[in-house]
Amino acid sequence: MSSPRLSPPAALAGPDFLWGVATASFQIEGAWATDGRLPCIWGTFCNTPGKILNGDTGEFACDHYHRYAQDVDLMAELGVDAYRLSTAWGRVMDEQGKPNHKGLDFYKRLLDRLQEKGIQRWVTLYHWDLPQYLEDRGGWLNRDTAYRFAEYADLMSRELAGRVDGWMTLNEPWCSAFLGYGNGHHAPGKANIAYVRPAMHHLLLGHGLALPALKANDPGAKRGIVANVGRGTSDSAAPEDQDAAMLYEVQHNNWVLDPLLKGHYPKALERLWPESRPLVLEGDMATISQPMDFLGINYYFRTNVRSDGKDGFVDTPLADVERTQMGWEVHPQGLQDLLVGFKAQYGDKLPPIYITENGMASDDAVGADGQVHDTQRISFLNRHFEALAGAKAKGVDIRGYFCWSLMDNFEWAFGYERRFGLVHVDYETQKRTPKDSALQLKEFLAARG
């Protein structure tokens, strides 16, 4: 049987649809103590025994800090329209809030090379690598961190003005709040459900406080945020289990999107986490719900749930379904269902959407022929492209797609075992090998004209 071919549908092949790849600073840069970069919570987490699979760390990662030019050339060779990257907060300013010009100059060189190659530059300000000194003051449990984030956004948008096509304030605040402070799976490793709603409120407040600076300092760039969303369903028709599926989506999706697009938190959070209440001051929700130019959506999987017998849900994984190396169920229809649902829920408040992450991990290796045959990834991508086309056909304004990820990298608590890249990375030699998915994406983009 022949291998699948990457074949995005015609609805995504037009000249106005943006095709990109994405990465994050801590996952690829390495050089975590170079040129004045300050320690961050993920460095601390890596150095805590038992937190990262195989004891891996992000100290070297993909050495992108030193190999950025090669990596930009690789993107140009693939023919992508855009690159979504993140900047490391601790690399660009010190504890007193003063700029670190060596760190800033790195990002300026990177962005300038992207411009030379005709690649749009989409920059995420916060992809989870909070400076450790701020965590020592309480991190996202401390309201002051939101104001420090606004200062960081002000500095970056002044320093990089004219070099950025789209600014994203936060990446996946759900992960920062819940995985970082609720269950401890991510840095800083706090595990107290009472922390989750205060942490989220301060994250979203930081987003809102940053928007005016981004607009004032770099008016030619778009401004938005990136939310990870998940489809929640139940294989049981029992009312309590259908209610559990609703609660899953409330905590995973509406917890972030309702305050941004409606100006209030969903009431059902009181059922889920009555012990976790944020201090919301007058004016906070107006700050959080300021208009944005776009909404970034990250989608990976569907979760099957049932009632926990109380006001909550429990994961009940389905048998005999396709899964990725992460153990996540492959469910492209969930992406279409969510996007169409968001259009129905938020109406005119829903800004244009970019899929800012979508992809899968697989146990990829370079074969005897020198190539990487990632057939499952190609099939995965094709089916998600069809889901996007289906959502567009139902009137959802989707402007672009960024594949996660450009290359294999440090996959947070899973270290280097899980490979999400279109490009294979040999971590011993740092050799980059485009996988079949990358080569076929190149063919599609070239044929698109």
Side-chain angles (χ1 to χ4, degrees), residues 327-447:
W328 297 342
E329 181 189 352
V330 178
H331 190 71
Q333 184 63 39
L335 176 58
Q336 179 175 323
D337 292 344
L338 287 170
L339 293 174
V340 172
F342 295 155
K343 179 176 172 59
Q345 289 179 58
Y346 300 112
D348 292 341
K349 295 289 187 181
L350 185 68
I353 287 172
Y354 290 85
I355 304 304
T356 37
E357 287 184 30
N358 176 241
M360 61 157 285
S362 57
D363 187 16
D364 300 323
V366 179
D369 60 358
Q371 297 179 307
V372 182
H373 304 297
D374 54 340
T375 56
Q376 187 189 10
R377 178 173 292 104
I378 293 168
S379 174
F380 176 101
L381 293 174
N382 278 336
R383 286 174 284 164
H384 284 81
F385 297 157
E386 291 290 347
L388 282 183
K392 280 177 67 70
K394 292 180 181 293
V396 183
D397 185 2
I398 306 166
R399 304 282 181 89
Y401 176 95
F402 292 80
C403 187
W404 186 269
S405 173
L406 167 64
M407 56 188 169
D408 298 335
N409 53 55
F410 178 80
E411 182 46 39
W412 306 112
F414 295 99
Y416 295 104
E417 182 182 275
R418 314 292 166 93
R419 293 180 176 271
F420 274 90
L422 295 172
V423 174
H424 180 276
V425 177
D426 182 323
Y427 297 112
E428 295 295 323
T429 65
Q430 292 295 341
K431 181 180 180 181
R432 277 77 158 136
T433 303
K435 303 175 187 178
D436 285 355
S437 56
L439 297 174
Q440 292 182 25
L441 178 63
K442 175 183 176 179
E443 289 180 17
F444 161 72
L445 293 174

Side-chain angles (χ1 to χ4, degrees), residues 96-152:
Q96 288 72 43
K98 296 178 181 178
N100 173 14
H101 290 289
K102 288 184 177 180
L104 287 165
D105 286 347
F106 163 70
Y107 292 113
K108 290 175 182 177
R109 293 193 301 271
L110 170 59
L111 295 172
D112 288 349
R113 191 170 187 91
L114 288 162
Q115 183 181 36
E116 291 169 9
K117 299 296 182 179
I119 299 171
Q120 287 192 29
R121 299 152 295 176
W122 291 65
V123 175
T124 307
L125 287 167
Y126 184 69
H127 202 126
W128 305 354
D129 44 1
L130 186 71
Q132 184 62 43
Y133 69 84
L134 287 172
E135 179 58 34
D136 293 342
R137 301 173 188 170
W140 290 110
L141 299 176
N142 183 350
R143 183 181 175 94
D144 184 65
T145 301
Y147 295 94
R148 303 289 77 75
F149 177 74
E151 292 176 354
Y152 163 53

